[in-house]
């Protein structure tokens, strides 16, 4: 009868829903973590519409997080206002300032770690070092104080994009940042600091263990598979530690276009 047929249809739909739920529950819980500069955007540029649409689609299929060295203001300039609400996880300053679903999860303090005397000695040394540097241009903001780290730029963060590009080419040959990092490592060997070169014009300074692997403590118990995509995965690069971590599957990318290609290959095509 029609009633029996309707009952069978309802029963089959319920069984299909249960099977789908069981299959979903058995599927690995996947988290895709992304660096920003050179991975989702051209360094310090805003993400283009193609990448924004791609990431929106990805968020509908797996859990997605952002882990950048910059503070929230700069990440928002590149990925859009309210980025901490759009993504399940937003880890600024390597996760030293962590957000989950738009709410502040945790925050670390470099000032509390070092103390004012050590911090002042370090900053004074850096400013004297920069004053004696011979680089193509010098602008303003040679040290940017963030919650959990310092960002040091030999030419100053107030430089133009053209000057950024020029310094990046100059530094590839001159090794200004590498030499400066080596000097600081020796001078402040007892401070327990890590130095990480990232972007075009600067490097980050933070306590050992406060690299991008710091963010993993907030997610490692909630996911079966954690993919990380970043461009500076070489030793000394600010993606190296999390790329090498046994807790992640690391992927080295060369551009936003390459990021989309690798995400499709390693995640989307396997869902």
């Amino acid at each position: 009868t029609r009633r029996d047929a309707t009952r069978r249809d309802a029963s089959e739909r319920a069984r299909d829903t249960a099977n789908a739920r069981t299959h979903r529950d058995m599927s690995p819980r996947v988290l895709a973590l992304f660096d920003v500069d050179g991975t989702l955007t051209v360094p310090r540029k805003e993400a283009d519409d193609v990448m924004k649409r791609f990431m929106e689609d990805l968020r509908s299929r797996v859990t997605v997080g952002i882990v950048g060295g910059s503070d929230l203001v700069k990440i928002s300039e590149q990925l859009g206002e309210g980025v901490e609400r759009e993504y399940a996880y937003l880890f600024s300053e390597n996760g030293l300032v962590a957000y989950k679903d738009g709410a502040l999860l945790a925050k670390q303090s470099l000032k509390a770690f070092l103390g004012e005397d050590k911090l002042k000695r370090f900053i004074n040394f850096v400013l004297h070092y920069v004053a004696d540097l011979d680089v193509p241009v010098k602008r303003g903001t040679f040290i940017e104080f963030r919650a959990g780290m310092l960002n040091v730029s030999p030419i100053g963060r107030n430089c133009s994009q053209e000057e950024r590009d020029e310094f990046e080419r100059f530094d590839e040959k001159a090794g200004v940042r590498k030499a400066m990092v080596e000097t600081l490592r020796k001078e402040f060997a007892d401070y327990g600091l890590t130095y990480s070169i990232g972007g075009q014009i600067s490097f980050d300074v933070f306590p050992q263990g406060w690299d991008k692997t710091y963010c993993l403590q907030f997610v490692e118990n909630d996911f079966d598979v954690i993919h990380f995509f970043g461009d500076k995965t070489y030793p000394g690069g600010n993606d190296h530690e999390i790329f090498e971590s046994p807790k992640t599957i690391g992927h080295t990318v060369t551009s936003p276009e390459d990021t989309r290609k690798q995400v499709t290959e390693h995640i989307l095509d396997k869902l």
Side-chain angles (χ1 to χ4, degrees):
T1 66
R2 182 176 298 176
R3 179 177 296 177
D4 290 337
T6 300
R7 190 174 294 152
R8 282 197 303 272
D9 289 344
S11 177
E12 288 172 359
R13 285 197 300 272
R15 185 173 63 250
D16 290 343
T17 300
N19 288 339
R21 185 180 296 115
T22 299
H23 176 72
R24 185 168 63 246
D25 291 344
M26 291 175 62
S27 299
R29 299 168 298 171
V30 176
L31 172 65
L33 281 176
F34 294 86
D35 167 51
V36 181
D37 276 348
T39 301
L40 298 180
T41 75
V42 174
R44 289 304 306 138
K45 296 289 185 68
E46 184 180 349
D48 61 27
D49 290 339
V50 174
M51 181 58 84
K52 288 179 179 178
R53 287 194 298 270
F54 181 84
M55 295 300 286
E56 184 177 359
D57 176 66
L58 182 64
R59 293 198 302 273
S60 71
R61 305 181 70 179
V62 298
T63 305
V64 181
I66 305 297
V67 52
S70 296
D71 58 26
L72 179 59
V73 171
K74 292 183 176 61
I75 293 176
S76 298
E77 289 172 355
Q78 294 177 265
L79 300 184
E81 287 296 325
V83 62
E84 73 276 17
R85 295 186 296 275
E86 289 187 3
Y87 288 85
Y89 295 94
L90 190 286
F91 300 117
S92 61
E93 302 184 38
N94 294 350
L96 303 177
V97 182
Y99 294 86
K100 181 180 180 181
D101 297 325
L104 182 64
L105 195 61
K107 186 175 182 179
Q108 270 290 6
S109 168
L110 176 65
K111 179 181 174 181
F113 177 85
L114 280 181
E116 195 60 54
D117 289 342
K118 285 185 175 181
L119 190 58
K120 186 167 61 178
R121 178 174 174 262
F122 184 91
I123 290 173
N124 287 345
F125 186 92
V126 168
L127 291 175
H128 280 293
Y129 187 101
V130 169
D132 293 332
L133 275 179
D134 183 16
V135 291
V137 297
K138 287 185 182 179
R139 297 296 181 254
T141 313
F142 299 102
I143 300 176
E144 185 174 81
F145 188 88
R146 300 173 182 170
M149 66 174 69
L150 296 175
N151 179 264
V152 179
S153 174
I155 68 167
R157 296 193 62 89
N158 291 357
C159 60
S160 67
Q161 186 61 51
E162 182 180 353
E163 290 163 344
R164 281 175 170 268
D165 296 339
E166 180 186 358
F167 178 78
E168 183 178 32
R169 290 190 294 269
F170 173 80
D171 194 39
E172 285 176 359
K173 297 180 180 179
V176 173
R177 287 182 291 176
K178 287 183 179 178
M180 190 171 180
V181 163
E182 285 307 310
T183 299
L184 292 172
R185 279 201 180 107
K186 294 175 182 176
E187 183 70 21
F188 299 96
D190 59 334
Y191 273 31
L193 296 173
T194 294
Y195 304 83
S196 183
I197 296 174
Q200 295 177 288
I201 62 167
S202 64
F203 59 89
D204 296 326
V205 184
F206 45 84
Q208 291 170 3
W210 289 18
D211 52 64
K212 286 185 178 179
T213 60
Y214 189 88
C215 77
L216 296 178
Q217 64 184 292
F218 302 113
V219 296
E220 60 185 315
N221 295 324
D222 296 326
F223 297 93
D224 303 307
V225 179
I226 301 176
H227 291 272
F228 171 76
F229 298 84
D231 64 320
K232 289 184 169 53
T233 58
Y234 50 81
N238 64 354
D239 297 323
H240 178 69
E241 291 85 0
I242 191 169
F243 172 79
E244 290 285 344
S245 172
K247 299 175 182 178
T248 69
I249 300 173
H251 308 277
T252 303
V253 301
T254 58
S255 66
E257 293 78 15
D258 187 43
T259 298
R260 291 194 292 271
K261 178 183 176 182
Q262 291 205 41
V263 170
T264 300
E265 176 185 350
H266 296 294
I267 297 179
L268 295 176
D269 285 350
K270 295 183 178 180
L271 293 176

